[in-house]
Amino acid sequence: MGRIAYFDCFSGAAGDMIVGACLDAGAAPETLRTELGKLKLAEVSLAIEKTVRGGITATSFRPVMQGAADSEHKHEHAHGHDHGHGGRHNPADTAGHKHPEEHGHTHTHTHEHEHEHEHTHGHEHTHTHPHDHGHAHGPDRRLGDIAALIKGAALSEAVTEQSLAIFGRLAKAEAKVHGIGVDEVHFHEVGAADAICDIVGACVALEALGVKQLNCSVPVVGWGTVHCAHGVLPVPAPATVELLKGVAVETGEQAGEFMTPTGAAILTTLAQSFGRMEPMRVEAVGYGAGQRELAGRPNVLRVLVGEATKGSLGADQVVLLEANLDDATAEVIGYVSERLLEAGALDVYTSAVMMKKNRPGTLVSVLARPGETAALERVLFLESTTLGVRRRVCERSVLQRGRETVATRFGPIAVKVGYLEDRAVTASPEFEDCRAAALRCKVALKDVIAAALAAYQNV
């Protein structure tokens, strides 16, 4: 059924915490060092160590810049808000408050102002404009530079694709927030190195654990505001909110930033669901540490790794997008449906409705993964005539799924199988396989489907 990783974000998440949790769950540090070494980031070394947070033993992962001012990897930078991953923010703090970066994550920002602040999770701080970090640094890296670095590193195909997808989402979110093009987003060298290690490291560590499916709890994101030289900015950060569109979140009871942009980018790109943990046989548990203690809660991210329990009902979240159309032709609606499926919709269906002024219309319904809603809404606005899109998060129960290939006189046909209580309760031949076989053999489609079902039942 596949190996699953379930991230329990009760204290939020950040890039370094995700890597630390995977290491704590059994991913080999040697593997991580070897794979990240292929990136040839000579300015970075990796600090991996056991620590205790809130009474829980956890693994701390920190990329450390060579020549950093001290071993704690603290910097003064020009952010516009407190990234206090899991920490308390003192409302009395004023502009220019100092925050040691203690959580290991990466933020991209286009703010051109100076203040000092604390990351209670670690080191995440990529910037899209030059800032004074108080130490020497080289040229900034743009998204294209980072993509070239990753593509040229001889990483596995899966790690390369996932890393590029995560960086792409992160850059798009920052571009949207700051009103610039994706190609204009550039990462300060320190932050870019952190981001590369966190993002690529997370993908490497998950692959090392053999994870095929990633699920996530409803994340705690924090709340409040932060005073800085630029003014008052909200928590969670604007880029984090952009990345979490369509995902159910909780603020938690403590003020401060609990979910960072890099953490959000990794989880929303890779996670198939946000919600309850589906039935699984837990085989390993890991805790990724933030870099300081918090009052009232462990500053850790937990991951549970194991195998899905065959036959148990799974649970996840999907987003339902809806739009009413009363001025679109059938041809346009059909085209819009095709574009939505191409853009990643789980399903698209239409219903006949009566609208105002007794006009017959069409209700277009789109089921989407939480991380895909923004792209699908864009398709609806660009390709249909709607002026608004409704959105709601839905909990759903799903059968555990399997896939088998059966031999028929028309050739091999894949069959999707659904399991409940350790038995197969539904089986459906893959339509495209059946269609191709019918055309190739010049027989009726229904005969191919019947042959595939008969072959499956005789297995």
Side-chain angles (χ1 to χ4, degrees):
M1 303 300 292
R3 195 163 175 80
I4 293 176
Y6 180 80
F7 283 92
D8 186 5
C9 304
F10 64 93
S11 282
D16 65 329
M17 296 178 76
I18 294 171
V19 179
C22 291
L23 290 168
D24 206 56
E30 296 77 13
T31 299
L32 188 66
R33 293 184 188 279
T34 298
E35 294 303 301
L36 290 183
K38 296 177 180 179
L39 294 166
K40 302 188 187 308
L41 293 171
E43 72 272 29
V44 179
S45 62
L46 303 180
I48 299 172
E49 59 187 2
K50 290 289 186 180
T51 187
V52 177
R53 296 287 180 263
I56 295 177
T57 301
T59 295
S60 169
F61 168 79
R62 291 184 300 135
V64 180
M65 292 295 294
Q66 299 296 321
D70 58 53
S71 61
E72 290 299 315
H73 188 52
K74 298 177 183 177
H75 305 282
E76 297 177 2
H77 26 276
H79 281 199
H81 53 278
D82 170 29
H83 302 295
H85 191 332
R88 294 183 179 275
H89 170 63
N90 182 355
D93 286 349
T94 57
H97 58 290
K98 179 175 286 187
H99 302 272
E101 300 182 345
E102 302 179 10
H103 211 177
H105 4 295
T106 301
H107 300 310
T108 58
H109 301 287
T110 56
H111 312 306
E112 294 184 357
H113 51 268
E114 289 188 10
H115 80 285
E116 304 166 8
H117 65 231
E118 177 175 319
H119 289 249
T120 62
H121 273 331
H123 60 262
E124 186 170 322
H125 48 87
T126 64
H127 304 274
T128 55
H129 283 295
H131 299 319
D132 178 12
H133 275 247
H135 52 79
H137 56 76
D140 296 344
R141 288 185 172 111
R142 294 180 181 270
L143 180 61
D145 301 324
I146 294 173
L149 186 70
I150 293 172
K151 290 177 181 178
L155 300 163
S156 73
E157 182 178 352
V159 168
T160 299
E161 290 180 357
Q162 291 171 353
S163 299
L164 293 174
I166 294 167
F167 259 112
R169 276 183 59 78
L170 183 59
K172 286 178 182 178
E174 290 291 346
K176 174 73 178 295
V177 168
H178 301 299
I180 60 177
V182 172
D183 292 338
E184 297 177 68
V185 174
H186 59 281
F187 300 76
H188 184 283
E189 186 182 13
V190 175
D194 287 343
I196 293 167
C197 290
D198 288 349
I199 289 172
V200 178
C203 297
V204 167
L206 287 166
E207 183 178 68
L209 290 172
V211 171
K212 302 299 182 185
Q213 178 179 328
L214 190 154
N215 299 324
C216 187
S217 69
V218 174
V220 171
V221 298
W223 58 277
T225 58
V226 167
H227 294 266
C228 66
H230 192 66
V232 177
L233 290 179
V235 172
T240 302
V241 174
E242 188 68 27
L243 288 160
L244 290 172
K245 278 184 177 178
V247 176
V249 300
E250 297 177 2
T251 60
E253 68 278 7
Q254 287 181 289
E257 183 182 47
F258 283 68
M259 176 67 70
T260 67
T262 298
I266 293 171
L267 294 178
T268 57
T269 302
L270 301 182
Q272 295 188 17
S273 67
F274 289 82
R276 295 175 296 165
M277 183 175 69
E278 68 180 64
M280 63 182 290
R281 182 174 59 255
V282 178
E283 298 174 353
V285 179
Y287 294 88
Q291 302 304 312
R292 71 181 181 110
E293 291 281 4
L294 298 178
R297 70 168 62 220
N299 189 14
V300 298
L301 170 66
R302 180 169 68 174
V303 65
L304 289 77
V305 182
E307 296 289 331
T309 305
K310 184 177 180 179
S312 299
L313 277 175
D316 66 3
Q317 286 183 333
V318 293
V319 179
L320 176 62
L321 304 176
E322 292 183 330
N324 288 25
L325 307 177
D326 64 359
D327 55 352
T329 66
E331 291 89 349
V332 168
I333 293 172
Y335 178 76
V336 171
S337 298
E338 292 174 0
R339 291 296 309 277
L340 288 165
L341 291 170
E342 291 171 358
L346 296 172
D347 198 5
V348 181
Y349 53 95
T350 62
S351 309
V353 294
M354 289 297 295
M355 299 174 61
K356 62 185 179 182
K357 299 182 180 180
N358 294 320
R359 294 174 181 169
T362 301
L363 169 64
V364 178
S365 302
V366 185
L367 288 180
R369 298 179 184 87
E372 302 296 332
T373 55
L376 294 170
E377 284 182 345
R378 181 175 176 80
V379 173
L380 283 169
F381 284 125
L382 290 177
E383 300 292 355
S384 79
T385 55
T386 189
L387 297 176
V389 176
R390 298 182 297 279
R391 180 199 310 139
R392 64 176 181 269
V393 178
C394 303
E395 299 278 350
R396 68 173 182 173
S397 298
V398 294
L399 293 175
Q400 294 294 334
R401 302 179 185 184
R403 182 184 176 95
E404 299 183 19
T405 300
V406 297
T408 74
R409 66 181 185 276
F410 307 114
I413 303 292
V415 179
K416 294 179 292 188
V417 184
Y419 296 93
L420 177 65
E421 297 174 358
D422 293 326
R423 66 188 183 94
V425 295
T426 183
S428 176
E430 286 284 2
F431 175 79
E432 291 301 329
D433 285 5
C434 294
R435 180 180 182 276
L439 293 173
R440 184 178 63 252
C441 299
K442 295 181 171 52
V443 297
L445 175 64
K446 63 181 180 180
D447 292 340
V448 178
I449 294 173
L453 286 173
Y456 170 75
Q457 292 166 357
N458 291 331
V459 171

